[in-house]
Amino acid sequence: MLFTVIAFLSACEYEFIELKKPDIDPDVPLSFKSDIVPIFQDDGCVACHSTTGIAFSLEEAQAYQSIQNNNLVDTANPQSSPLYVVPDPNSAEQHDKYSVDNAAKVLIWIQQGAKNN
């Protein structure tokens, strides 16, 4: 009986799924207009955060000013920036989430100084 239990346990295989890490080079400057603004549309942010929506607008024409006016980025501590934290896929907040790649882009853009470029 002991042999059967050992044989059964040793036959078990576990597949571990490794999450794909974003393939983004933090040394390549990100553009707010080309790299960040499209995220707001692609990940559904603009559906609520528009000129007729809630709190602030993430529509292209108002996005950067809204982000600055509402203190949504903290370049001294990028990981605590609300623009990154609230929609981060790893966040427990009840909010629409960025994709893993888009969350990485937003964080890197903030780390790079959150420039309006």
mmCIF file of all heavy atoms in Angstrom, residues 19-68:
data_model
loop_
_atom_site.group_PDB
_atom_site.id
_atom_site.type_symbol
_atom_site.label_atom_id
_atom_site.label_comp_id
_atom_site.label_asym_id
_atom_site.label_seq_id
_atom_site.Cartn_x
_atom_site.Cartn_y
_atom_site.Cartn_z
ATOM 1 N N LEU A 19 3.736 34.072 -15.737
ATOM 2 C CA LEU A 19 3.169 35.257 -16.364
ATOM 3 C C LEU A 19 4.190 35.907 -17.269
ATOM 4 O O LEU A 19 5.366 36.022 -16.928
ATOM 5 C CB LEU A 19 2.708 36.258 -15.302
ATOM 6 C CG LEU A 19 1.566 35.797 -14.424
ATOM 7 C CD1 LEU A 19 1.278 36.854 -13.359
ATOM 8 C CD2 LEU A 19 0.330 35.527 -15.243
ATOM 9 N N LYS A 20 3.721 36.325 -18.429
ATOM 10 C CA LYS A 20 4.595 36.994 -19.386
ATOM 11 C C LYS A 20 4.927 38.386 -18.853
ATOM 12 O O LYS A 20 4.052 39.150 -18.478
ATOM 13 C CB LYS A 20 3.885 37.113 -20.730
ATOM 14 C CG LYS A 20 4.704 37.799 -21.778
ATOM 15 C CD LYS A 20 3.900 37.933 -23.065
ATOM 16 C CE LYS A 20 4.661 38.775 -24.040
ATOM 17 N NZ LYS A 20 4.233 40.156 -24.053
ATOM 18 N N LYS A 21 6.185 38.683 -18.788
ATOM 19 C CA LYS A 21 6.607 40.008 -18.346
ATOM 20 C C LYS A 21 6.608 40.941 -19.549
ATOM 21 O O LYS A 21 6.935 40.530 -20.656
ATOM 22 C CB LYS A 21 7.982 39.939 -17.714
ATOM 23 C CG LYS A 21 7.959 39.111 -16.459
ATOM 24 C CD LYS A 21 9.145 39.341 -15.603
ATOM 25 C CE LYS A 21 8.875 38.570 -14.338
ATOM 26 N NZ LYS A 21 9.867 38.271 -13.512
ATOM 27 N N PRO A 22 6.216 42.186 -19.321
ATOM 28 C CA PRO A 22 6.200 43.136 -20.437
ATOM 29 C C PRO A 22 7.576 43.264 -21.074
ATOM 30 O O PRO A 22 8.596 43.243 -20.391
ATOM 31 C CB PRO A 22 5.795 44.449 -19.775
ATOM 32 C CG PRO A 22 5.118 44.049 -18.517
ATOM 33 C CD PRO A 22 5.768 42.771 -18.084
ATOM 34 N N ASP A 23 7.576 43.390 -22.371
ATOM 35 C CA ASP A 23 8.809 43.499 -23.130
ATOM 36 C C ASP A 23 9.027 44.974 -23.491
ATOM 37 O O ASP A 23 8.992 45.352 -24.653
ATOM 38 C CB ASP A 23 8.704 42.634 -24.386
ATOM 39 C CG ASP A 23 10.046 42.367 -25.022
ATOM 40 O OD1 ASP A 23 11.064 42.501 -24.324
ATOM 41 O OD2 ASP A 23 10.074 42.026 -26.220
ATOM 42 N N ILE A 24 9.222 45.789 -22.459
ATOM 43 C CA ILE A 24 9.363 47.228 -22.643
ATOM 44 C C ILE A 24 10.726 47.651 -22.088
ATOM 45 O O ILE A 24 11.041 47.359 -20.937
ATOM 46 C CB ILE A 24 8.237 47.991 -21.916
ATOM 47 C CG1 ILE A 24 6.878 47.529 -22.455
ATOM 48 C CG2 ILE A 24 8.394 49.485 -22.075
ATOM 49 C CD1 ILE A 24 5.707 47.968 -21.625
ATOM 50 N N ASP A 25 11.483 48.345 -22.899
ATOM 51 C CA ASP A 25 12.807 48.814 -22.488
ATOM 52 C C ASP A 25 12.647 50.145 -21.759
ATOM 53 O O ASP A 25 12.248 51.146 -22.365
ATOM 54 C CB ASP A 25 13.698 48.985 -23.717
ATOM 55 C CG ASP A 25 15.120 49.363 -23.365
ATOM 56 O OD1 ASP A 25 15.398 49.698 -22.185
ATOM 57 O OD2 ASP A 25 15.973 49.324 -24.275
ATOM 58 N N PRO A 26 12.932 50.190 -20.454
ATOM 59 C CA PRO A 26 12.755 51.427 -19.701
ATOM 60 C C PRO A 26 13.716 52.540 -20.118
ATOM 61 O O PRO A 26 13.529 53.694 -19.741
ATOM 62 C CB PRO A 26 12.989 51.013 -18.249
ATOM 63 C CG PRO A 26 13.775 49.755 -18.330
ATOM 64 C CD PRO A 26 13.416 49.099 -19.632
ATOM 65 N N ASP A 27 14.731 52.198 -20.902
ATOM 66 C CA ASP A 27 15.691 53.211 -21.350
ATOM 67 C C ASP A 27 15.238 53.913 -22.632
ATOM 68 O O ASP A 27 15.834 54.910 -23.033
ATOM 69 C CB ASP A 27 17.069 52.587 -21.556
ATOM 70 C CG ASP A 27 17.657 52.071 -20.252
ATOM 71 O OD1 ASP A 27 17.411 52.697 -19.193
ATOM 72 O OD2 ASP A 27 18.345 51.038 -20.279
ATOM 73 N N VAL A 28 14.200 53.398 -23.265
ATOM 74 C CA VAL A 28 13.660 54.033 -24.470
ATOM 75 C C VAL A 28 12.573 54.997 -24.020
ATOM 76 O O VAL A 28 11.593 54.585 -23.395
ATOM 77 C CB VAL A 28 13.091 52.984 -25.450
ATOM 78 C CG1 VAL A 28 12.401 53.654 -26.625
ATOM 79 C CG2 VAL A 28 14.194 52.056 -25.919
ATOM 80 N N PRO A 29 12.738 56.298 -24.307
ATOM 81 C CA PRO A 29 11.736 57.277 -23.863
ATOM 82 C C PRO A 29 10.355 56.987 -24.442
ATOM 83 O O PRO A 29 10.207 56.672 -25.615
ATOM 84 C CB PRO A 29 12.269 58.607 -24.399
ATOM 85 C CG PRO A 29 13.721 58.372 -24.655
ATOM 86 C CD PRO A 29 13.855 56.922 -25.008
ATOM 87 N N LEU A 30 9.354 57.082 -23.572
ATOM 88 C CA LEU A 30 7.977 56.912 -23.999
ATOM 89 C C LEU A 30 7.361 58.283 -24.258
ATOM 90 O O LEU A 30 7.663 59.250 -23.564
ATOM 91 C CB LEU A 30 7.169 56.174 -22.935
ATOM 92 C CG LEU A 30 7.544 54.716 -22.711
ATOM 93 C CD1 LEU A 30 6.768 54.122 -21.545
ATOM 94 C CD2 LEU A 30 7.295 53.901 -23.963
ATOM 95 N N SER A 31 6.494 58.342 -25.240
ATOM 96 C CA SER A 31 5.804 59.571 -25.602
ATOM 97 C C SER A 31 4.410 59.561 -24.988
ATOM 98 O O SER A 31 3.667 58.587 -25.133
ATOM 99 C CB SER A 31 5.690 59.667 -27.133
ATOM 100 O OG SER A 31 4.698 60.589 -27.511
ATOM 101 N N PHE A 32 4.054 60.660 -24.331
ATOM 102 C CA PHE A 32 2.715 60.756 -23.759
ATOM 103 C C PHE A 32 1.663 60.626 -24.856
ATOM 104 O O PHE A 32 0.735 59.829 -24.759
ATOM 105 C CB PHE A 32 2.540 62.074 -22.996
ATOM 106 C CG PHE A 32 1.186 62.210 -22.372
ATOM 107 C CD1 PHE A 32 0.839 61.446 -21.271
ATOM 108 C CD2 PHE A 32 0.254 63.093 -22.891
ATOM 109 C CE1 PHE A 32 -0.424 61.554 -20.692
ATOM 110 C CE2 PHE A 32 -1.001 63.208 -22.320
ATOM 111 C CZ PHE A 32 -1.346 62.440 -21.223
ATOM 112 N N LYS A 33 1.836 61.392 -25.912
ATOM 113 C CA LYS A 33 0.843 61.407 -26.989
ATOM 114 C C LYS A 33 0.769 60.072 -27.734
ATOM 115 O O LYS A 33 -0.320 59.568 -28.019
ATOM 116 C CB LYS A 33 1.145 62.529 -27.978
ATOM 117 C CG LYS A 33 0.098 62.674 -29.046
ATOM 118 C CD LYS A 33 0.367 63.850 -29.941
ATOM 119 C CE LYS A 33 -0.744 63.960 -30.975
ATOM 120 N NZ LYS A 33 -0.568 65.081 -31.850
ATOM 121 N N SER A 34 1.895 59.478 -28.046
ATOM 122 C CA SER A 34 1.914 58.252 -28.865
ATOM 123 C C SER A 34 1.784 56.964 -28.065
ATOM 124 O O SER A 34 1.228 55.974 -28.556
ATOM 125 C CB SER A 34 3.215 58.176 -29.665
ATOM 126 O OG SER A 34 3.339 59.289 -30.499
ATOM 127 N N ASP A 35 2.320 56.939 -26.848
ATOM 128 C CA ASP A 35 2.363 55.701 -26.072
ATOM 129 C C ASP A 35 1.355 55.636 -24.927
ATOM 130 O O ASP A 35 0.849 54.559 -24.612
ATOM 131 C CB ASP A 35 3.771 55.486 -25.489
ATOM 132 C CG ASP A 35 4.830 55.337 -26.561
ATOM 133 O OD1 ASP A 35 4.615 54.539 -27.487
ATOM 134 O OD2 ASP A 35 5.863 56.034 -26.481
ATOM 135 N N ILE A 36 1.076 56.768 -24.290
ATOM 136 C CA ILE A 36 0.231 56.758 -23.090
ATOM 137 C C ILE A 36 -1.222 57.079 -23.401
ATOM 138 O O ILE A 36 -2.122 56.358 -22.968
ATOM 139 C CB ILE A 36 0.795 57.719 -22.014
ATOM 140 C CG1 ILE A 36 2.258 57.351 -21.690
ATOM 141 C CG2 ILE A 36 -0.072 57.697 -20.764
ATOM 142 C CD1 ILE A 36 2.498 55.924 -21.247
ATOM 143 N N VAL A 37 -1.479 58.142 -24.152
ATOM 144 C CA VAL A 37 -2.862 58.524 -24.462
ATOM 145 C C VAL A 37 -3.649 57.374 -25.099
ATOM 146 O O VAL A 37 -4.803 57.140 -24.709
ATOM 147 C CB VAL A 37 -2.908 59.807 -25.323
ATOM 148 C CG1 VAL A 37 -4.298 60.055 -25.859
ATOM 149 C CG2 VAL A 37 -2.425 61.005 -24.506
ATOM 150 N N PRO A 38 -3.083 56.622 -26.043
ATOM 151 C CA PRO A 38 -3.856 55.505 -26.615
ATOM 152 C C PRO A 38 -4.269 54.453 -25.581
ATOM 153 O O PRO A 38 -5.285 53.780 -25.749
ATOM 154 C CB PRO A 38 -2.910 54.906 -27.657
ATOM 155 C CG PRO A 38 -2.017 56.039 -28.041
ATOM 156 C CD PRO A 38 -1.817 56.834 -26.773
ATOM 157 N N ILE A 39 -3.522 54.318 -24.511
ATOM 158 C CA ILE A 39 -3.867 53.367 -23.451
ATOM 159 C C ILE A 39 -5.216 53.732 -22.837
ATOM 160 O O ILE A 39 -6.042 52.862 -22.558
ATOM 161 C CB ILE A 39 -2.772 53.330 -22.357
ATOM 162 C CG1 ILE A 39 -1.499 52.721 -22.914
ATOM 163 C CG2 ILE A 39 -3.255 52.580 -21.115
ATOM 164 C CD1 ILE A 39 -0.298 52.847 -21.993
ATOM 165 N N PHE A 40 -5.445 55.021 -22.645
ATOM 166 C CA PHE A 40 -6.690 55.454 -22.025
ATOM 167 C C PHE A 40 -7.895 55.051 -22.872
ATOM 168 O O PHE A 40 -8.950 54.714 -22.340
ATOM 169 C CB PHE A 40 -6.680 56.959 -21.781
ATOM 170 C CG PHE A 40 -5.520 57.444 -20.947
ATOM 171 C CD1 PHE A 40 -4.932 58.669 -21.200
ATOM 172 C CD2 PHE A 40 -5.006 56.681 -19.909
ATOM 173 C CE1 PHE A 40 -3.876 59.131 -20.437
ATOM 174 C CE2 PHE A 40 -3.938 57.121 -19.141
ATOM 175 C CZ PHE A 40 -3.368 58.353 -19.406
ATOM 176 N N GLN A 41 -7.738 55.076 -24.176
ATOM 177 C CA GLN A 41 -8.817 54.656 -25.072
ATOM 178 C C GLN A 41 -8.897 53.131 -25.122
ATOM 179 O O GLN A 41 -9.967 52.556 -24.954
ATOM 180 C CB GLN A 41 -8.582 55.208 -26.482
ATOM 181 C CG GLN A 41 -9.704 54.907 -27.435
ATOM 182 C CD GLN A 41 -10.986 55.635 -27.075
ATOM 183 O OE1 GLN A 41 -10.979 56.825 -26.815
ATOM 184 N NE2 GLN A 41 -12.088 54.922 -27.044
ATOM 185 N N ASP A 42 -7.753 52.475 -25.320
ATOM 186 C CA ASP A 42 -7.722 51.014 -25.483
ATOM 187 C C ASP A 42 -8.222 50.265 -24.251
ATOM 188 O O ASP A 42 -8.871 49.232 -24.367
ATOM 189 C CB ASP A 42 -6.311 50.526 -25.806
ATOM 190 C CG ASP A 42 -5.799 51.029 -27.146
ATOM 191 O OD1 ASP A 42 -6.603 51.538 -27.946
ATOM 192 O OD2 ASP A 42 -4.569 50.938 -27.375
ATOM 193 N N ASP A 43 -7.894 50.761 -23.066
ATOM 194 C CA ASP A 43 -8.261 50.060 -21.836
ATOM 195 C C ASP A 43 -9.559 50.586 -21.221
ATOM 196 O O ASP A 43 -9.887 50.258 -20.087
ATOM 197 C CB ASP A 43 -7.111 50.111 -20.827
ATOM 198 C CG ASP A 43 -5.963 49.187 -21.230
ATOM 199 O OD1 ASP A 43 -6.141 48.386 -22.166
ATOM 200 O OD2 ASP A 43 -4.891 49.265 -20.613
ATOM 201 N N GLY A 44 -10.272 51.417 -21.957
ATOM 202 C CA GLY A 44 -11.602 51.846 -21.536
ATOM 203 C C GLY A 44 -11.668 52.984 -20.542
ATOM 204 O O GLY A 44 -12.739 53.273 -20.004
ATOM 205 N N CYS A 45 -10.575 53.653 -20.281
ATOM 206 C CA CYS A 45 -10.568 54.741 -19.295
ATOM 207 C C CYS A 45 -11.460 55.908 -19.712
ATOM 208 O O CYS A 45 -12.153 56.501 -18.883
ATOM 209 C CB CYS A 45 -9.144 55.253 -19.080
ATOM 210 S SG CYS A 45 -7.944 53.977 -18.659
ATOM 211 N N VAL A 46 -11.422 56.236 -21.001
ATOM 212 C CA VAL A 46 -12.152 57.397 -21.518
ATOM 213 C C VAL A 46 -13.662 57.200 -21.406
ATOM 214 O O VAL A 46 -14.410 58.169 -21.356
ATOM 215 C CB VAL A 46 -11.718 57.710 -22.964
ATOM 216 C CG1 VAL A 46 -12.538 58.826 -23.579
ATOM 217 C CG2 VAL A 46 -10.240 58.086 -22.990
ATOM 218 N N ALA A 47 -14.112 55.964 -21.334
ATOM 219 C CA ALA A 47 -15.547 55.711 -21.205
ATOM 220 C C ALA A 47 -16.118 56.413 -19.975
ATOM 221 O O ALA A 47 -17.235 56.925 -20.003
ATOM 222 C CB ALA A 47 -15.814 54.216 -21.141
ATOM 223 N N CYS A 48 -15.355 56.473 -18.908
ATOM 224 C CA CYS A 48 -15.810 57.164 -17.682
ATOM 225 C C CYS A 48 -15.111 58.508 -17.508
ATOM 226 O O CYS A 48 -15.722 59.463 -17.027
ATOM 227 C CB CYS A 48 -15.539 56.309 -16.461
ATOM 228 S SG CYS A 48 -16.514 54.797 -16.405
ATOM 229 N N HIS A 49 -13.831 58.559 -17.834
ATOM 230 C CA HIS A 49 -13.040 59.773 -17.620
ATOM 231 C C HIS A 49 -13.000 60.599 -18.903
ATOM 232 O O HIS A 49 -12.015 60.598 -19.637
ATOM 233 C CB HIS A 49 -11.626 59.421 -17.153
ATOM 234 C CG HIS A 49 -11.610 58.758 -15.816
ATOM 235 N ND1 HIS A 49 -11.823 59.446 -14.652
ATOM 236 C CD2 HIS A 49 -11.426 57.456 -15.467
ATOM 237 C CE1 HIS A 49 -11.762 58.609 -13.629
ATOM 238 N NE2 HIS A 49 -11.525 57.390 -14.102
ATOM 239 N N SER A 50 -14.107 61.305 -19.135
ATOM 240 C CA SER A 50 -14.217 62.178 -20.301
ATOM 241 C C SER A 50 -14.745 63.527 -19.840
ATOM 242 O O SER A 50 -15.047 63.713 -18.660
ATOM 243 C CB SER A 50 -15.164 61.566 -21.340
ATOM 244 O OG SER A 50 -16.472 61.496 -20.810
ATOM 245 N N THR A 51 -14.874 64.455 -20.762
ATOM 246 C CA THR A 51 -15.375 65.779 -20.382
ATOM 247 C C THR A 51 -16.794 65.707 -19.834
ATOM 248 O O THR A 51 -17.216 66.582 -19.087
ATOM 249 C CB THR A 51 -15.322 66.756 -21.570
ATOM 250 O OG1 THR A 51 -16.001 66.161 -22.680
ATOM 251 C CG2 THR A 51 -13.897 67.078 -21.956
ATOM 252 N N THR A 52 -17.537 64.667 -20.168
ATOM 253 C CA THR A 52 -18.892 64.500 -19.636
ATOM 254 C C THR A 52 -18.952 63.389 -18.592
ATOM 255 O O THR A 52 -20.023 63.056 -18.103
ATOM 256 C CB THR A 52 -19.879 64.163 -20.780
ATOM 257 O OG1 THR A 52 -19.449 62.967 -21.418
ATOM 258 C CG2 THR A 52 -19.953 65.289 -21.783
ATOM 259 N N GLY A 53 -17.796 62.827 -18.256
ATOM 260 C CA GLY A 53 -17.744 61.702 -17.320
ATOM 261 C C GLY A 53 -17.430 62.127 -15.898
ATOM 262 O O GLY A 53 -17.745 63.233 -15.472
ATOM 263 N N ILE A 54 -16.769 61.234 -15.179
ATOM 264 C CA ILE A 54 -16.491 61.453 -13.763
ATOM 265 C C ILE A 54 -15.088 62.006 -13.513
ATOM 266 O O ILE A 54 -14.162 61.739 -14.254
ATOM 267 C CB ILE A 54 -16.673 60.152 -12.948
ATOM 268 C CG1 ILE A 54 -15.781 59.041 -13.493
ATOM 269 C CG2 ILE A 54 -18.112 59.728 -12.926
ATOM 270 C CD1 ILE A 54 -15.797 57.770 -12.689
ATOM 271 N N ALA A 55 -14.977 62.780 -12.481
ATOM 272 C CA ALA A 55 -13.724 63.275 -11.898
ATOM 273 C C ALA A 55 -12.828 64.106 -12.823
ATOM 274 O O ALA A 55 -12.638 65.270 -12.603
ATOM 275 C CB ALA A 55 -12.934 62.137 -11.273
ATOM 276 N N PHE A 56 -12.285 63.524 -13.836
ATOM 277 C CA PHE A 56 -11.337 64.218 -14.707
ATOM 278 C C PHE A 56 -11.365 63.555 -16.074
ATOM 279 O O PHE A 56 -11.826 62.438 -16.222
ATOM 280 C CB PHE A 56 -9.925 64.190 -14.116
ATOM 281 C CG PHE A 56 -9.469 62.809 -13.748
ATOM 282 C CD1 PHE A 56 -8.855 61.996 -14.683
ATOM 283 C CD2 PHE A 56 -9.675 62.315 -12.472
ATOM 284 C CE1 PHE A 56 -8.447 60.710 -14.350
ATOM 285 C CE2 PHE A 56 -9.274 61.034 -12.136
ATOM 286 C CZ PHE A 56 -8.652 60.229 -13.075
ATOM 287 N N SER A 57 -10.855 64.271 -17.059
ATOM 288 C CA SER A 57 -10.889 63.769 -18.430
ATOM 289 C C SER A 57 -9.553 63.159 -18.833
ATOM 290 O O SER A 57 -8.496 63.741 -18.603
ATOM 291 C CB SER A 57 -11.232 64.900 -19.397
ATOM 292 O OG SER A 57 -11.160 64.441 -20.730
ATOM 293 N N LEU A 58 -9.625 61.994 -19.457
ATOM 294 C CA LEU A 58 -8.441 61.373 -20.048
ATOM 295 C C LEU A 58 -8.539 61.374 -21.571
ATOM 296 O O LEU A 58 -7.823 60.645 -22.242
ATOM 297 C CB LEU A 58 -8.239 59.956 -19.507
ATOM 298 C CG LEU A 58 -7.820 59.896 -18.037
ATOM 299 C CD1 LEU A 58 -7.747 58.457 -17.554
ATOM 300 C CD2 LEU A 58 -6.501 60.617 -17.802
ATOM 301 N N GLU A 59 -9.439 62.211 -22.091
ATOM 302 C CA GLU A 59 -9.507 62.395 -23.533
ATOM 303 C C GLU A 59 -8.237 63.110 -23.972
ATOM 304 O O GLU A 59 -7.666 63.912 -23.229
ATOM 305 C CB GLU A 59 -10.739 63.212 -23.916
ATOM 306 C CG GLU A 59 -12.028 62.469 -23.642
ATOM 307 C CD GLU A 59 -13.254 63.309 -23.913
ATOM 308 O OE1 GLU A 59 -13.329 64.454 -23.413
ATOM 309 O OE2 GLU A 59 -14.129 62.829 -24.630
ATOM 310 N N GLU A 60 -7.806 62.837 -25.190
ATOM 311 C CA GLU A 60 -6.509 63.312 -25.665
ATOM 312 C C GLU A 60 -6.269 64.796 -25.413
ATOM 313 O O GLU A 60 -5.216 65.179 -24.917
ATOM 314 C CB GLU A 60 -6.345 63.003 -27.152
ATOM 315 C CG GLU A 60 -4.968 63.385 -27.680
ATOM 316 C CD GLU A 60 -4.750 62.954 -29.121
ATOM 317 O OE1 GLU A 60 -5.590 62.259 -29.688
ATOM 318 O OE2 GLU A 60 -3.702 63.326 -29.662
ATOM 319 N N ALA A 61 -7.211 65.649 -25.722
ATOM 320 C CA ALA A 61 -7.011 67.098 -25.610
ATOM 321 C C ALA A 61 -6.852 67.577 -24.165
ATOM 322 O O ALA A 61 -6.187 68.579 -23.921
ATOM 323 C CB ALA A 61 -8.168 67.842 -26.279
ATOM 324 N N GLN A 62 -7.437 66.865 -23.221
ATOM 325 C CA GLN A 62 -7.395 67.294 -21.814
ATOM 326 C C GLN A 62 -6.552 66.404 -20.911
ATOM 327 O O GLN A 62 -6.313 66.748 -19.757
ATOM 328 C CB GLN A 62 -8.820 67.326 -21.221
ATOM 329 C CG GLN A 62 -9.755 68.306 -21.830
ATOM 330 C CD GLN A 62 -10.474 67.741 -23.046
ATOM 331 O OE1 GLN A 62 -10.514 66.533 -23.244
ATOM 332 N NE2 GLN A 62 -11.009 68.609 -23.880
ATOM 333 N N ALA A 63 -6.121 65.267 -21.398
ATOM 334 C CA ALA A 63 -5.515 64.243 -20.537
ATOM 335 C C ALA A 63 -4.337 64.749 -19.715
ATOM 336 O O ALA A 63 -4.321 64.597 -18.495
ATOM 337 C CB ALA A 63 -5.097 63.031 -21.361
ATOM 338 N N TYR A 64 -3.346 65.340 -20.362
ATOM 339 C CA TYR A 64 -2.144 65.712 -19.613
ATOM 340 C C TYR A 64 -2.465 66.741 -18.538
ATOM 341 O O TYR A 64 -2.036 66.603 -17.386
ATOM 342 C CB TYR A 64 -1.038 66.241 -20.540
ATOM 343 C CG TYR A 64 0.270 66.391 -19.804
ATOM 344 C CD1 TYR A 64 1.075 65.282 -19.564
ATOM 345 C CD2 TYR A 64 0.679 67.622 -19.298
ATOM 346 C CE1 TYR A 64 2.260 65.396 -18.860
ATOM 347 C CE2 TYR A 64 1.873 67.743 -18.592
ATOM 348 C CZ TYR A 64 2.650 66.618 -18.377
ATOM 349 O OH TYR A 64 3.825 66.738 -17.673
ATOM 350 N N GLN A 65 -3.240 67.761 -18.900
ATOM 351 C CA GLN A 65 -3.582 68.802 -17.925
ATOM 352 C C GLN A 65 -4.412 68.229 -16.778
ATOM 353 O O GLN A 65 -4.210 68.578 -15.622
ATOM 354 C CB GLN A 65 -4.329 69.961 -18.606
ATOM 355 C CG GLN A 65 -4.349 71.216 -17.763
ATOM 356 C CD GLN A 65 -2.943 71.726 -17.446
ATOM 357 O OE1 GLN A 65 -2.088 71.833 -18.318
ATOM 358 N NE2 GLN A 65 -2.693 72.028 -16.191
ATOM 359 N N SER A 66 -5.328 67.317 -17.094
ATOM 360 C CA SER A 66 -6.136 66.677 -16.051
ATOM 361 C C SER A 66 -5.271 65.858 -15.102
ATOM 362 O O SER A 66 -5.475 65.871 -13.893
ATOM 363 C CB SER A 66 -7.194 65.754 -16.681
ATOM 364 O OG SER A 66 -8.192 66.488 -17.310
ATOM 365 N N ILE A 67 -4.310 65.139 -15.663
ATOM 366 C CA ILE A 67 -3.404 64.333 -14.845
ATOM 367 C C ILE A 67 -2.613 65.227 -13.892
ATOM 368 O O ILE A 67 -2.475 64.931 -12.708
ATOM 369 C CB ILE A 67 -2.460 63.505 -15.751
ATOM 370 C CG1 ILE A 67 -3.259 62.395 -16.438
ATOM 371 C CG2 ILE A 67 -1.282 62.934 -14.969
ATOM 372 C CD1 ILE A 67 -2.524 61.709 -17.575
ATOM 373 N N GLN A 68 -2.122 66.344 -14.407
ATOM 374 C CA GLN A 68 -1.360 67.276 -13.569
ATOM 375 C C GLN A 68 -2.250 67.960 -12.529
ATOM 376 O O GLN A 68 -1.892 68.038 -11.358
ATOM 377 C CB GLN A 68 -0.661 68.320 -14.441
ATOM 378 C CG GLN A 68 0.379 67.742 -15.384
ATOM 379 C CD GLN A 68 1.444 66.941 -14.660
ATOM 380 O OE1 GLN A 68 2.003 67.365 -13.661
ATOM 381 N NE2 GLN A 68 1.729 65.754 -15.169
#
